[in-house]
Amino acid sequence: LAALLALGGSGCASSAKPASGSAAGPGKSAAAGAARATSPRPLEDGPGPMLWRVTSPRGTSALLLGTMHLGIEAKRDLPAFVFKAFNAAKQVAFEADVRTINPIELIKLARLRGPPTLDKRLGPEAWAKLTKLLAGKLPPVVMAQLEPWLIVVMLVAKVVPRTTPMDLALMKDAMVNKQRLVFLEHWKEQLGMMDKVIKAEHLAKLLDHTAEQRTLFNKMATLYRAGQAKQMRALLDEEPDWSRGDADKAHELMLLRRNQRWLPKVRRMIGDNDAFIAVGLAHLIGKDNLLDMLRARGYKVARVRR
C-alpha cells in the first residue's frame, strides 16, 4: 500500500494535510475487469534518473519523468541535466494541482458517510496504536469521524523522511520559469480514487507494519536514486498488504483507469514537441503503464541517462 501511494497513488496524497483541530462530522467500489494492456516491457536498471523520451510517429517528442511522491528531495536527488531539460520545456504536466488543496474542504471530503466510526471499525488495539502515532496531529474525536484513506495518507507521511514532495518542488520551479502548467486530473478525483480503494482493514495492516514501511521507503529511495527501474517494479509487484481482489481493484483504479484517461492529453503534449511530463513512477513502469500504451500506438520510448 505504501509503495503504491509513493509511486502511483496520487501526487496530492503527499500534500494533503488537514488543518490540525479541524471539525468533522459523520458523514461502491467500481466494477473490475477493464481491458488490460499486454505485460509490461522489460526494464533496465540504472544508472540515471527515471526519465524517458517518447517520440511520436511524426517525430515530435516529450520527456516523461517518473517521480516518487514521498521521500525524495528533487533538488538533491535528480541530476542537473534533468532540471536543464525541465527548464527548457514550454509546458510541464503534473498529475494534479496540489497548490489548490484546501484543508477545510479536504476534511469535508474525508468525513465518514455513516456508522460505525473509525475507532469501532479498527477495534481498541489498532485504535490505541493510531492515536499514539498521530498524537498532536488531530484530536481522536475528530479522527474517529474520518475515512481511512486520509488517515493512511497522514500515517505514511509520518513514517517517511520529511522532504518537499517532488511534484510540488518541480511545480514551484515551473511557476518561477513562467512555464505553461497542465494537470492531468483534479485533486478531488485523486482523493475519490483513494476513497474507493483504501478501507479500514488496510489501515489496520499498515498500523501493524509501520517499521517495515519505513524500511521499505528507505529501500525505494535508494533504488530510485540509483535508477533501478526493474527492482522498483518488483517492489510494486510484491505489495503484501492486499488480497488478490483488493490488489486487482487498486491496480485498476489507481493506475490502469487513470493512465487510460491521461493518455489523450499525454499524446497531445508529445505532439506539441515542447513538453515535460512528471507523474508517479508506477504510471511508467507498472502493469498497463503509459509507456507501454504509447509503444502500442507506434511511439518510440528510450530511457534518458544523461
Side-chain angles (χ1 to χ4, degrees), residues 28-31 113 196 199 249 253:
K28 201 172 180 180
S29 68
R113 288 177 289 279
K196 290 184 175 75
K199 303 303 177 186
K249 178 180 173 183
L253 294 180

Side-chain angles (χ1 to χ4, degrees), residues 3 8 10 24 49 59 66 70 74 84 106 112 132 160 195 283:
S10 78
L70 299 160
K84 183 177 180 181
L106 179 67
L112 279 172
K132 182 178 179 180
V160 301
D195 184 49
H283 294 284

Side-chain angles (χ1 to χ4, degrees), residues 8-13 69 94-98 101 149 185-195 258 261-262 283:
S10 78
C12 75
H69 297 313
F94 302 95
E95 293 182 23
D97 190 352
V98 298
I101 297 176
W149 63 262
E185 61 191 5
H186 194 278
W187 63 266
K188 289 184 181 179
E189 292 179 88
Q190 295 194 338
L191 301 188
M193 169 269 300
M194 289 194 292
D195 184 49
R258 294 168 75 205
R261 288 197 302 269
W262 297 352
H283 294 284

